[in-house]
Amino acid sequence: MSVLAHGQWALPDSPYAMWVRGELDEYLRLPDDGTRVEVIGGEFVVSHAAGYPHAGILTDLTGAFEYAKRTDPGFQWRAVQTINLDLVDIGDGYIPDMVVVPRDIDLRNRVDNVLYVYPEQVQMAVEVTSESNARNDREPLFGRSRATKWSGYARCCVPYYLLIDRDPRQPGVTLFGEPDRAEGRYRALESWKFGDPITLPEPFGVELDTLLWVPWPA
C-alpha cells in the first residue's frame, strides 16, 4: 500500500496552512524516504515514493520534453517533476508528478530559488496513478462530492491535465482540457492506449513513446 494516511486529525492549524509553512511533514513525523504529504479537498494525504515503472514513465516524459528543447530552439515548455503546487484559491497543496511550465517561468523560478509554484504558472499538470491512491488523481466518482486533484486542477484553471492511469482494468492516457472553474470539471480532449505512439497536441507538439508503459500488477 502506498497511502499511509488520509483524513483530518486534531492538528494545531488547518492542513493547508501547515503544508504551506512546511510544518505538516514534521508534525506527522514522516520518514525521510520520499514519502510525500499533500492536501486534497482540505484533507491531508500521505503516500510513499512510487515504484520503478511509475518513475520510468516520468523519465520518458522528461526525455521527450528535453528532446524537443534540444531540437527546437523556439520550444517554450519545460517539464519539472515533484514540485510544491500551492492552490491557494481552494486551500489545497499538491505535489504533482510533473508540471509543464513556460521556459521564462522555469528560468525565473530557478534564479529566484522558489519553493512553490502556482496554478497560473502551470500550463499542464501530469499525474501517474498508483494502485492505492489512483482515486485522488481521477475525476470524482459520480454521486460523491469528495474533491480530487482532477477537480482541484480544474477549479484553479490549470489549462491541461494529463492523466496516465496504470490500473490494469483501464490502462491508458487521457489529456483533459477546457477547465470549468465553477464546476471543477475538465473535458476529455484525447485518449490513447499504452503502447500507442502519442503526439501531444498544440501548444506542446511533443511525441511520447509508451512502449514500456505498463499497468501495475493485476
Side-chain angles (χ1 to χ4, degrees), residues 26-197:
E26 182 177 359
Y27 187 86
L28 296 175
R29 299 180 181 178
L30 300 182
D32 187 18
D33 61 356
T35 299
R36 69 175 73 171
V37 61
E38 302 175 278
V39 179
I40 303 173
E43 299 182 356
F44 69 80
V45 177
V46 182
S47 54
H48 285 306
Y52 199 100
H54 183 289
I57 290 173
L58 294 174
T59 298
D60 292 343
L61 285 165
T62 301
F65 276 85
E66 285 299 310
Y67 178 79
K69 172 185 172 183
R70 291 194 306 270
T71 57
D72 179 6
F75 188 69
Q76 64 169 319
W77 306 110
R78 301 294 182 264
V80 186
Q81 294 188 34
T82 56
I83 49 81
N84 293 315
L85 178 62
D86 186 353
L87 293 84
V88 60
D89 288 350
I90 61 173
D92 274 5
Y94 302 165
I95 305 177
D97 285 324
M98 179 178 287
V99 294
V100 176
V101 300
R103 61 185 177 187
D104 60 329
I105 295 293
D106 176 68
L107 177 60
R108 186 189 318 156
N109 287 349
R110 290 171 184 255
V111 171
D112 294 344
N113 196 27
V114 302
L115 298 178
Y116 301 91
V117 296
Y118 298 91
E120 60 268 22
Q121 299 175 312
V122 173
Q123 186 71 10
M124 181 169 69
V126 180
E127 299 287 357
V128 181
T129 65
S130 296
E131 184 172 2
S132 57
N133 62 358
R135 62 178 182 173
N136 292 322
D137 298 329
R138 300 180 184 134
E139 179 180 359
L141 293 175
F142 179 76
R144 298 187 182 182
S145 59
R146 183 181 171 275
T148 67
K149 295 170 82 170
W150 184 92
S151 58
Y153 289 131
R155 288 194 184 281
C156 292
C157 289
V158 174
Y160 296 96
Y161 177 42
L162 187 68
L163 178 63
I164 301 168
D165 199 335
R166 296 183 59 228
D167 189 332
R169 298 168 299 180
Q170 53 183 35
V173 182
T174 305
L175 178 66
F176 296 94
E178 301 179 14
D180 185 322
R181 180 189 295 272
E183 295 292 331
R185 299 187 60 82
Y186 279 110
R187 186 171 76 86
L189 303 179
E190 295 198 46
S191 60
W192 305 268
K193 297 178 181 179
F194 284 0
D196 288 347

